[in-house]
Amino acid sequence: MSRNTENTTPALTPDEKLTLQTAAHGVVSLMAAADPGPISSTRSGMAGGKALSSATGLVGRVLAEKAKGLDLGGGSTADLADRVFAALADSVTLLKAKAPDEVANFRDTIATITDAASRAHKGGPGPAETAMVQKIGAALEAA
């Protein structure tokens, strides 16, 4: 007998969904910003976006929804990072409280995004991308 997981997952508010979306879409943007050349940032962004779309479970369903109110704007990579790092920590805290079984899935999704984005270049990730991956990981662990 198949189990309908749609009925067993916790309901998230629009604001909670936006937090998860901000974190994941923001990671894609941060990875693109870490390698700012026009071609390389496009490659990173496309690879990260494809990885984002492969998410499964509750996290995947939330990320597949249209992100209403998503605002990653800012005057600099530092502004973007402040917003995204906070959303990463808030997402983990939120999932620990509402869907503890999804915490590992969320972390794996973010790791898949960073891995895909950093592998989008010949020769592997540069120092700025490597540093960004470490900062993203630290933000996830802070929660």
Side-chain angles (χ1 to χ4, degrees), residues 17-138:
K17 290 178 181 181
L18 186 59
T19 298
L20 294 174
Q21 292 165 338
T22 298
H25 290 281
V27 166
V28 173
S29 295
L30 282 174
M31 291 303 295
D35 195 0
I39 293 173
S40 57
S41 64
T42 301
R43 284 184 183 154
S44 290
M46 288 177 61
K50 286 180 183 178
L52 185 145
S53 70
S54 70
T56 59
L58 171 67
V59 170
R61 284 189 291 281
V62 169
L63 298 180
E65 291 180 13
K66 180 174 169 113
K68 297 175 185 167
L70 183 66
D71 179 14
L72 297 176
S76 67
T77 301
D79 292 340
L80 173 63
D82 288 345
R83 185 171 292 173
V84 174
F85 294 159
L88 285 166
D90 291 347
S91 294
V92 172
T93 300
L94 163 72
L95 290 172
K96 282 180 179 178
K98 284 201 152 185
D101 293 345
E102 285 291 311
V103 173
N105 183 24
F106 179 75
R107 286 184 168 138
D108 289 346
T109 298
I110 299 302
T112 300
I113 292 167
T114 59
D115 186 51
S118 63
R119 290 177 185 242
H121 315 287
K122 294 178 183 172
E129 284 182 308
T130 301
M132 187 61 73
V133 169
Q134 291 170 346
K135 290 173 185 178
I136 291 167

